Amino acid sequence: MLEQALTHRSHGPRHYERLEFLGDSLLSMVIAERLFQQRPHAPEGDLSRLRSRLVRDITLARLAKELGLGDHLRLGAGELRSGGFLRESILADTVEALIGAIYLDGGFDVARRVILELFERRIAELPDADSLKDPKTRLQELLQGRGHELPEYSVIAESGADHAKCFEVECRAGDLAGPVRAEAASRRKAEQAAARLMYERLREAFATGSSAVMQGSGD
């Protein structure tokens, strides 16, 4: 099972994907349980953000590198040539596959113990859940908390070849402030960048009680 957990599908038919499926579910459940225990007053949304921080590909890939898993991966010739042993998604999948293999070999208690040993430091170093909110969520909560309408996003321009796209997005917050624009390689990233600019502008305006915000609030 260890060999299978370290085998990419490019190497042959007996690869790690089924073990990855199992390990993904186990990892999510064990991390959720520990966060539930350690943060008894955290709402569901905060717990979800904290769990996502721990089980995302970039975190799992870093863990795989710490364990040296890339040196033991079984990859096909094409993946070897393209540096698959360094690819974030493959390393993250391997961690989940290993957890699945440990569960099948030793049972749930053993798998749970290994997961907690691997993630205990990361769990302890988690930042406050509010700091993990993306800019669009922060902006939405800022406006909703003051009784304002939700922000609107629109793509102003799209340029570049398919492999090098650039999106320009505009964010509007009613009459509270003038629109802001931001560019990024994807629409989602451009929206997040525009939301960050609008959030910073409105937060400062609310704090200083600027005339534009006061007019928009109906005062």
Side-chain angles (χ1 to χ4, degrees):
M1 281 191 291
L2 174 61
E3 185 177 88
Q4 183 178 352
L6 294 169
T7 302
H8 188 259
R9 69 179 306 156
S10 62
H11 188 276
R14 192 169 180 269
H15 50 75
Y16 61 55
E17 289 183 5
R18 283 174 56 84
L19 291 173
E20 174 205 343
F21 165 78
L22 191 58
D24 173 64
S25 298
L26 287 163
L27 176 62
S28 183
M29 185 273 165
V30 171
I31 294 298
E33 178 192 44
R34 179 48 60 99
L35 292 173
F36 184 86
Q37 293 169 341
Q38 290 192 349
R39 305 201 180 209
H41 303 297
E44 182 271 339
D46 286 357
L47 293 174
S48 294
R49 275 186 288 274
L50 292 168
R51 180 182 59 185
S52 295
R53 176 85 168 201
L54 291 169
V55 303
R56 60 184 179 165
D57 277 3
I58 187 172
T59 302
L60 297 182
R62 287 171 180 166
L63 177 58
K65 291 176 181 178
E66 291 173 10
L67 297 172
L69 296 183
D71 297 334
H72 303 284
L73 284 174
R74 288 153 50 90
L75 303 169
E79 284 294 343
L80 279 173
R81 284 194 298 270
S82 64
F85 54 90
L86 296 174
R87 188 167 299 138
E88 183 178 283
S89 60
I90 292 178
L91 290 172
D93 291 346
T94 303
V95 171
E96 293 174 336
L98 277 174
I99 292 171
I102 291 169
Y103 165 75
L104 291 178
D105 181 65
F108 178 77
D109 288 342
V110 173
R112 181 178 182 275
R113 184 173 71 247
V114 171
I115 291 170
L116 292 179
E117 287 176 357
L118 291 174
F119 284 86
E120 203 64 60
R121 175 179 60 81
R122 288 177 167 83
I123 294 174
E125 294 175 351
L126 279 173
D128 183 83
D130 279 345
S131 67
L132 300 181
K133 294 178 181 177
D134 62 74
K136 290 181 68 175
T137 299
R138 286 173 173 268
L139 177 58
Q140 178 176 317
E141 292 181 352
L142 177 68
L143 293 173
Q144 285 183 322
R146 293 175 176 267
H148 299 293
E149 296 182 359
L150 296 179
E152 297 179 351
Y153 301 91
S154 56
V155 177
I156 301 301
E158 181 180 338
S159 61
D162 289 342
H163 66 281
K165 283 285 188 182
C166 180
F167 293 83
E168 183 179 10
V169 167
E170 183 176 88
C171 175
R172 290 180 172 271
D175 297 328
L176 294 176
V180 298
R181 296 184 180 184
E183 296 180 353
S186 71
R187 176 173 180 170
R188 176 182 172 277
K189 290 181 178 179
E191 287 180 352
Q192 295 287 5
R196 181 180 296 108
L197 293 174
M198 182 63 77
Y199 174 81
E200 293 172 352
R201 176 181 293 184
L202 290 180
R203 186 177 62 171
E204 180 180 354
F206 284 136
T208 59
S210 74
S211 57
V213 171
M214 296 302 289
Q215 290 174 353
S217 65
D219 290 342

